[in-house]
Amino acid sequence: DGIPSATWSFNTAATAALTGFKTINSSGGDYTTFTAAVNDLNSYGVGPGGVVFDVNIQTFTEDIPALTATGTQANPIIFQKAEGVGNPVLRRSTAATSTDAVIRINSGDWITFDGINLHHNSIATEYGFYLVGAAGDGCKNNTFKNLTVTIQNATTGSKSVYMTSAATSAAGTNDYNKFINVNLDGALYGY
């Protein structure tokens, strides 16, 4: 019939879950921002053996999205300062709501922050770490260690670490979270 046939090709390969060691370094690494790393975690999840993010010493001023990915005991999510360097610093760049947090974790489990300081950046940041559990899915088995959280006490109700949950069952409670060698500064409430 004289009509040429068309050949269509679609790339259907999915991006794999994150595994192994990754770097966060604004001057070049696997990720140049925390936002990019968290967006990939939220989109693709964590794979077998988990993922470790080595963070170079520098200050990251950005509004990091809520971390909605979750790890397991066998597949943890770890953010740690790079070996042999001082603690990097995370700061918010804006204060958009009355519940701003430097790091917010929504129903996440087996997440570690080791040697990563949080700072208020002279804006109205209410929380350093904000752990939010859902009705049937709390934040569990997270570890925060070797770090400092500095939040302004001028903000009403400011808390260095705030955990809340809309739990309707035991699965929705925030349990087994550990805070080791954590220095708190400035906020009206520590925990």
Side-chain angles (χ1 to χ4, degrees):
D1 54 318
I3 299 173
S5 63
T7 302
W8 296 93
S9 174
F10 296 98
N11 182 357
T12 57
T15 300
L18 302 183
T19 61
F21 285 89
K22 309 286 184 198
T23 57
I24 302 176
N25 183 350
S26 63
S27 62
D30 296 299
Y31 297 95
T32 57
T33 66
F34 261 84
T35 297
V38 169
N39 281 337
D40 271 4
L41 270 173
N42 290 344
S43 294
Y44 308 117
V46 60
V51 63
V52 176
F53 294 94
D54 276 338
V55 184
N56 279 7
I57 184 170
Q58 57 204 273
T59 298
F60 296 87
T61 302
E62 55 188 282
D63 296 336
I64 302 165
L67 182 52
T68 58
T70 190
T72 65
Q73 186 172 13
N75 308 315
I77 298 168
I78 300 170
F79 293 91
Q80 66 185 20
K81 72 174 187 169
E83 190 172 331
V85 302
N87 287 16
V89 176
L90 303 181
R91 309 173 113 166
R92 282 193 60 82
S93 61
T94 63
T97 69
S98 61
T99 57
D100 292 322
V102 180
I103 293 292
R104 178 178 171 141
I105 299 172
N106 289 351
S107 299
D109 305 331
W110 298 99
I111 300 167
T112 296
F113 280 84
D114 183 1
I116 309 218
N117 295 342
L118 307 187
H119 199 273
H120 61 75
N121 197 30
S122 300
I123 60 173
T125 302
E126 283 73 30
Y127 313 129
F129 288 107
Y130 185 24
L131 283 67
V132 182
D137 189 9
C139 296
K140 300 181 186 303
N141 298 296
N142 299 299
T143 302
F144 308 88
K145 60 184 181 177
N146 307 316
L147 55 89
T148 298
V149 179
T150 305
I151 299 296
Q152 285 185 327
N153 62 10
T155 305
T156 303
S158 63
K159 299 168 179 72
S160 296
V161 176
Y162 184 44
M163 291 187 285
T164 186
S165 180
T168 56
S169 67
T173 60
N174 297 326
D175 296 318
Y176 309 108
N177 297 297
K178 298 177 224 51
F179 300 89
I180 304 162
N181 192 30
V182 174
N183 297 309
L184 307 177
D185 184 29
L188 289 178
Y189 302 97
Y191 293 92

